[in-house]
């Protein structure tokens, strides 16, 4: 294969420029390895037309800083790997001519912006631009209507195209973790084919409403937005096909009651949040305990099972002068705060074992009788 021949040449001579020329040479000039009869079983289905042959070009880890003008017919490339180099810019003319490109991998470079001509890649299915310095994605990316997987992790994205969800109806996986996103565009709820949404390690303050439109979503990760994300939309509980939900290490205090309806949910990660409802002790028990708590809360049947606080071993205190703790009429002096009402514990007053346990002299003594 052309890629293997070029790599071997580089190992022998160490000339990257010449290697690039060999990699990008015109396929129509390469002689066939052996004559093939059109009628033979091994004859290609495209009638021996080598210019119609699709090629995989791998230039990963070549320490390239730029791409020279290729002599190869770029329309013959179906997969192009330029990852792990020092490339700072992708030429507009390059992407405009990759008409049959299905997978483009340019991760771990120094690219600050993608060319607008990326919208010409109508057959592109996999795009990996992670590990660069991208601040935004071009609006023309919505023209890549065949796109199924977009990986833009570890960049400096502060926003996504507003209409990204209106045209990319085939997108199945969207990974934008480790960026600077404040919010996700509302159009993202139109990605009905989406199965994985990874938006952790950002600065998300809110999530879009109408999340229930993501009918095929199976994995949602919005963890580690730390002090920014403080609430979840109630529509998150309507993601009936969701299998994994990770909201850990945010500032969420209340989980939507609708989460109790997510019967297909198999994994819920909520640690690192100041949860009040459900209490953190319920979350630590199991996912089923969380479901039951939220379901009971939704139906108004929630029973407070929180443990009562201990008060130095004393039982219920009742009004002095009564045995069953019922209230009595107060005098005018007591109502006006002139006389401090006296309280005694009923258990101790009726006990013969501790006659001096509540002696005022003992209670207010500087000695610590309860230090043990």
């Amino acid at each position: 294969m052309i890629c293997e021949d070029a790599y071997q040449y580089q190992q022998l001579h160490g000339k990257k420029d010449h290697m690039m020329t060999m990699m990008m040479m015109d396929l129509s000039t390469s002689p066939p390895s052996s004559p093939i009869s059109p009628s033979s079983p091994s004859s290609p289905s495209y009638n021996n037309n080598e210019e119609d042959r699709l090629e995989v070009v791998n230039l990963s880890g070549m320490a390239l800083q730029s791409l020279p003008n290729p002599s190869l017919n770029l329309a013959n490339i179906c997969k192009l790997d330029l990852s792990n180099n020092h490339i700072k810019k992708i030429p507009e003319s390059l992407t405009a001519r990759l008409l049959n490109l299905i997978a483009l991998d340019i991760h771990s470079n120094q690219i600050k912006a993608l060319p607008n001509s990326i919208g010409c890649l109508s057959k592109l299915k996999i795009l990996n631009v992670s590990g660069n310095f991208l601040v935004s994605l071009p609006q023309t990316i919505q023209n890549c209507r065949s796109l199924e997987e977009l990986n833009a992790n570890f960049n400096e994205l502060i926003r996504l195209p507003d209409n990204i969800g209106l045209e990319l109806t085939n997108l199945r996986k969207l990974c934008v973790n480790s960026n600077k996103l404040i919010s996700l565009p509302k159009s993202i709820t139109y990605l009905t084919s989406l199965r994985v949404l990874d938006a952790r390690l950002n600065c998300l303050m809110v999530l879009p409403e109408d999340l229930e439109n993501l009918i095929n979503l199976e994995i949602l990760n919005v963890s580690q937005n730390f002090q920014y994300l403080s609430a979840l939309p109630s529509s998150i509980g309507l993601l009936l096909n969701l299998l994994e939900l990770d909201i850990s290490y945010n500032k969420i205090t209340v989980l939507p009651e609708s989460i109790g309806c997510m019967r297909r949910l198999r994994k819920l990660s909520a640690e690192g949040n100041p949860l009040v409802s459900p209490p953190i002790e319920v979350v630590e028990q199991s996912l089923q305990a969380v479901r039951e708590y939220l379901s009971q809360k939704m139906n108004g049947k929630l029973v407070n099972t929180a443990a009562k606080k201990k008060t130095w071993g004393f039982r219920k205190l009742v009004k002095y002068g009564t045995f069953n703790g019922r209230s009595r009429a107060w005098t005018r002096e007591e109502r006006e705060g002139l006389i401090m009402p006296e309280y005694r514990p009923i258990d101790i007053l009726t006990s013969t074992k501790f006659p001096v346990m509540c002696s005022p002299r003992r209670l207010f003594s500087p000695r610590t009788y309860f230090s043990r």
Side-chain angles (χ1 to χ4, degrees), residues 138-179:
Q139 293 286 344
T140 54
I141 199 173
Q142 64 184 0
N143 296 329
C144 302
R145 294 180 176 87
S146 300
L147 197 62
E148 296 180 359
E149 181 177 333
L150 174 57
N151 187 340
N153 299 333
F154 297 98
N155 278 282
E156 299 179 2
L157 295 175
I158 58 177
R159 66 182 181 277
L160 295 177
D162 293 334
N163 298 327
I164 191 172
L166 299 180
E167 301 294 340
L168 302 182
T169 55
N170 293 312
L171 195 63
R172 295 172 176 263
K173 185 176 182 180
L174 176 60
C175 297
V176 288
N177 75 63
S178 306
N179 282 284

Side-chain angles (χ1 to χ4, degrees), residues 228-239:
Y228 300 100
L229 188 60
S230 59
L232 298 174
S234 58
S235 59
I236 198 171
L238 301 178
L239 297 172

